[in-house]
Amino acid sequence: MLNEMLDGRPRGGGEIGHIMSLFAKQIRVKESTLVTYRWVARAWPADERRADVPWSVHQRLGAVPDRFQLLRQEPSDDLDPNERGVWHSDAARRARHSLPENPATAGERIETAKRLLRDTSEAAEAITQLADRTEVLKQAVEDPRFRRAVRDANRDRAHRLEAGTELPRTPGDLGTTQQDHGVPGTLSSPTVNYRETPSAVLRILGQCTSFCVSMQNAVVLAQEELLTTEEEEAVLDSIKKVRAVCDWCEHVVTTGQTDMDDELARLLGGGEGDQL
């Protein structure tokens, strides 16, 4: 009725607005609601409408270019055994490639969750809480994309820690002060006079200190990595070699003999009887 009253009337001068305001008062609706009614009615000529389809569907499809052909067909519905559905508000949203108000499929539920969790801190908290469900975490780590994302995030965190302050220490950490034990960052050890100690001995002490501190930081960061079986085996093999070298170093220091047994030589990749 409003369109019939306004068709052919000149724009400007406020006549159209006056008629719409007066008509809205007469039928007791908000003028903004009347504007919506008018737009939907103009988008859907009477011969293109469907009486068995809700008005809300006509409203949601009003801007779709091929809406006339689209409305002549029934919407597809993956939840229907016959893959045919009926027109309702959510079906119209899906036809416009928009998220429905009531998500029915896994993809729709995931996309809805992503839309609700746009804030980074809220999304991070959601992931943390979901980690309490061990079955969720176990299934997630089976996805290479998830493992790669976690590994990249850990590498980024490691770089930030290395560029900033050192890793936070705990009571069980190796780090101590030079004033306490004479060698910074080592376990409790006898104090030596650095002016009188031979440079070779100081070099050993420095190498041990550097190794302890570096390995401590590396192992702490590695705890947050999702290691594959091959990576874990490689790390354990390297630790085994380090342990063997340390035993050999202790043997050299206490006995003065630099001989190396065949097993250690093979472990380190050298020939029989090779010496460091």
Side-chain angles (χ1 to χ4, degrees):
M1 293 175 59
L2 180 63
N3 287 330
E4 290 176 358
M5 286 188 289
L6 297 180
D7 284 346
R9 293 187 179 275
R11 295 180 176 276
E15 182 179 3
I16 291 180
H18 177 70
I19 294 176
M20 290 181 61
S21 178
L22 180 62
F23 189 50
K25 292 178 181 179
Q26 290 176 341
I27 62 177
R28 297 180 180 181
V29 299
K30 293 181 178 180
E31 188 172 345
S32 59
T33 301
L34 190 61
V35 170
T36 302
Y37 287 166
R38 183 191 180 207
W39 176 81
V40 175
R42 290 175 65 88
W44 292 95
D47 56 346
E48 297 291 351
R49 305 170 190 172
R50 281 183 55 174
D52 60 330
V53 174
W55 177 87
S56 60
V57 173
H58 289 83
Q59 179 192 20
R60 299 211 178 275
L61 298 181
V64 177
D66 59 343
R67 57 186 177 277
F68 302 148
Q69 180 180 358
L70 184 63
L71 196 66
R72 295 189 190 103
Q73 306 170 358
E74 300 301 331
S76 60
D77 190 348
D78 295 336
L79 302 179
D80 189 318
N82 298 322
E83 297 185 356
R84 306 301 297 176
V86 295
W87 282 112
H88 48 73
S89 181
D90 278 347
R93 287 175 178 270
R94 293 186 180 100
R96 294 184 56 182
H97 305 290
S98 301
L99 287 176
E101 293 182 351
N102 302 292
T105 65
E108 290 176 352
R109 287 189 289 270
I110 293 173
E111 288 300 321
T112 300
K114 290 169 61 177
R115 181 183 62 181
L116 295 175
L117 295 172
R118 289 178 180 175
D119 183 79
T120 301
S121 59
E122 292 180 1
E125 179 61 24
I127 293 176
T128 302
Q129 294 189 18
L130 286 173
D132 292 338
R133 297 169 56 181
T134 55
E135 70 280 4
V136 173
L137 202 56
K138 288 180 180 179
Q139 186 168 343
V141 297
E142 294 298 326
D143 191 329
R145 296 172 302 174
F146 179 80
R147 295 198 302 271
R148 188 181 307 111
V150 173
R151 188 175 294 115
D152 291 343
N154 278 326
R155 289 198 183 100
D156 179 68
R157 178 174 180 270
H159 292 157
R160 286 186 286 107
L161 289 173
E162 292 176 357
T165 59
E166 291 186 356
L167 290 174
R169 303 292 183 178
T170 63
D173 285 343
L174 294 176
T176 58
T177 62
Q178 181 174 357
Q179 289 78 7
D180 290 337
H181 304 295
V183 180
T186 64
L187 291 172
S188 178
S189 59
T191 303
V192 297
N193 188 327
Y194 290 98
R195 293 183 179 180
E196 299 178 359
T197 304
S199 60
V201 175
L202 292 178
R203 183 178 180 184
I204 294 175
L205 295 177
Q207 291 283 2
C208 291
T209 299
S210 176
F211 173 79
C212 290
V213 174
S214 298
M215 281 298 294
Q216 180 188 3
N217 290 339
V219 169
V220 170
L221 293 175
Q223 288 178 341
E224 301 177 358
E225 292 279 1
L226 298 176
L227 301 181
T228 64
T229 302
E230 294 78 10
E231 292 170 343
E232 182 176 343
E233 290 178 352
V235 170
L236 294 179
D237 182 66
S238 295
I239 293 176
K240 181 180 179 182
K241 292 180 179 179
V242 170
R243 186 179 295 112
V245 170
C246 290
D247 291 341
W248 178 81
C249 292
E250 181 179 356
H251 168 74
V252 175
V253 171
T254 56
T255 66
Q257 300 177 1
T258 60
D259 58 302
M260 180 185 299
D261 59 38
D262 295 339
E263 182 179 357
L264 178 58
R266 285 193 297 270
L267 178 64
L268 300 180
E272 293 186 2
D274 286 351
Q275 296 182 356
L276 293 180

